[in-house]
Amino acid sequence: MNLYPINSGNFKLDGGAMFGVVPKSLWTRTNPADTNNMIDIAARCLLIEDSNRLILIDTGMGNKQSDKFFGYYHLWGNDTIDNSLKTFGFHRDDITDVFMTHLHFDHCGGSVQWNKDRTGYEPAFKNANFWSNENHWKWATQPNRREVASFLKENILPMEESGHLKFTSLPENDILKNSELGFDIFFANGHTEKQMIPMIQYKGKTICFMADLLPTVGHLPLPFVMGYDTRPLLTLDEKERFLNLAADQNYYLFLEHDAHNEIITVQHTEKGVRLKNTYTTNDIFN
């Protein structure tokens, strides 16, 4: 097995929204804001090369939305999925599976693109199956009023229309063992219904793709919960369970949204679970 970081592009989000009720004087210690209160955010995806499969976890925002839409998110940097894949000798047509942690636009927008004459949409990875789970798919296609702006039909429905949509099994407890894709999955419901956190066994290490369960290093303290989470009290419980497990088992946490920290480990302290070590993907994957 080989792992590759795939950078789909960077953007900015309001720091207050990213940290909910936590005062700015606290969250700016780890996530400094610009004059508009915006903080740096990455969309760092992960490619798994395992035997004859190439599995891409999440796909970022994509590029099919309007300039007005992207104007809200202050895109920065030159990273794209295609350039990142090319760096490692791959093309998007090589991808066999696209695994979506959840269907918010910044995690799945790159899964769908305009068709050739821009009259409709088509899968952006023409040879891939697209993985979600039945509960989350229903949640996203019949959205509540809180999340309706994050679940964009053009990002989601073309995957089903293509006939390449597949659902993982659902767990009896938190973790689905021996999934169809060759890695375990931790299911979390605080951010959105049935978000999926892949847990990949790699060279004696457990690499956890943290998605929105732990967006950045700054979100390690339990009360530091995003304003975007639909069930923040549940997020508190899920973070506590997962971070305690991560500290006990020395998991390596791959941070999708932290623009400046790629992979971390955590440890138990008197203040709770806190940062232990920071690594680049080169440190762990090479």
Side-chain angles (χ1 to χ4, degrees):
M1 177 188 288
N2 294 307
L3 300 181
Y4 309 94
I6 302 299
N7 299 315
S8 68
N10 302 314
F11 56 104
K12 291 179 179 284
L13 288 174
D14 183 86
M18 283 297 291
F19 285 93
V21 300
V22 178
K24 182 177 181 179
S25 59
L26 296 181
W27 57 256
T28 51
R29 296 174 185 175
T30 54
N31 298 73
D34 64 18
T35 55
N36 294 315
N37 211 49
M38 308 293 281
I39 64 173
D40 291 347
I41 299 292
R44 183 180 298 111
C45 309
L46 181 63
L47 182 66
I48 304 171
E49 182 184 24
D50 190 14
S51 186
N52 61 346
R53 298 181 85 168
L54 277 176
I55 304 169
L56 180 62
I57 301 177
D58 281 356
T59 59
M61 287 189 187
N63 58 13
K64 66 182 174 298
Q65 306 300 330
S66 67
D67 290 342
K68 180 179 179 181
F69 177 91
F70 288 123
Y72 294 125
Y73 300 102
H74 306 275
L75 307 186
W76 58 278
N78 299 312
D79 292 325
T80 67
I81 282 183
D82 289 308
N83 288 341
S84 291
L85 287 172
K86 185 177 180 180
T87 297
F88 299 112
F90 299 114
H91 185 273
R92 62 173 58 232
D93 292 349
D94 300 326
I95 304 301
T96 62
D97 300 270
V98 174
F99 180 92
M100 293 161 293
T101 60
H102 59 297
L103 295 167
H104 288 165
F105 66 84
D106 57 319
H107 293 259
C108 76
S111 299
V112 174
Q113 63 188 8
W114 285 106
N115 61 16
K116 188 174 183 179
D117 56 8
R118 295 179 70 88
T119 58
Y121 304 102
E122 64 185 13
F125 302 89
K126 66 180 184 181
N127 297 316
N129 289 317
F130 296 85
W131 292 85
S132 182
N133 67 75
E134 191 169 5
N135 286 30
H136 183 66
W137 185 265
K138 182 177 180 180
W139 186 269
T141 55
Q142 302 174 33
N144 60 75
R145 287 178 288 181
R146 174 74 179 276
E147 291 178 275
V148 66
S150 293
F151 291 128
L152 307 180
K153 290 185 295 184
E154 62 269 28
N155 286 340
I156 299 172
L157 298 182
M159 289 183 275
E160 182 177 37
E161 293 163 357
S162 75
H164 290 182
L165 177 66
K166 291 184 176 292
F167 292 144
T168 68
S169 302
L170 292 169
E172 293 182 5
N173 297 304
D174 288 337
I175 297 178
L176 175 66
K177 297 286 187 179
N178 302 315
S179 78
E180 299 96 322
L181 289 160
F183 48 77
D184 294 341
I185 303 169
F186 180 87
F187 282 74
N189 297 288
H191 179 62
T192 189
E193 176 73 9
K194 291 293 183 291
Q195 178 184 202
M196 299 190 289
I197 307 299
M199 304 170 66
I200 303 148
Q201 298 305 312
Y202 175 75
K203 295 182 178 180
K205 300 179 176 67
T206 301
I207 311 294
C208 303
F209 186 93
M210 296 308 296
D212 282 337
L213 181 60
L214 185 73
T216 75
V217 168
H219 290 85
L220 279 171
L222 293 181
F224 287 47
V225 173
M226 291 190 294
Y228 301 112
D229 285 18
T230 59
R231 307 176 180 116
L233 294 179
L234 186 52
T235 295
L236 283 169
D237 179 58
E238 291 168 342
K239 275 178 63 178
E240 183 173 31
R241 294 201 308 276
F242 194 92
L243 290 177
N244 280 327
L245 189 62
D248 291 342
Q249 302 295 326
N250 198 39
Y251 290 166
Y252 288 75
L253 309 183
F254 182 101
L255 302 179
E256 182 173 13
H257 281 321
D258 194 317
H260 307 292
N261 300 282
E262 296 179 318
I263 296 177
I264 64 170
T265 53
V266 294
Q267 61 187 340
H268 295 289
T269 74
E270 292 181 356
K271 294 183 177 181
V273 175
R274 292 292 187 272
L275 179 66
K276 182 180 181 181
N277 291 311
T278 302
Y279 303 91
T280 67
T281 51
N282 283 337
D283 294 333
I284 304 302
F285 297 165
N286 292 337

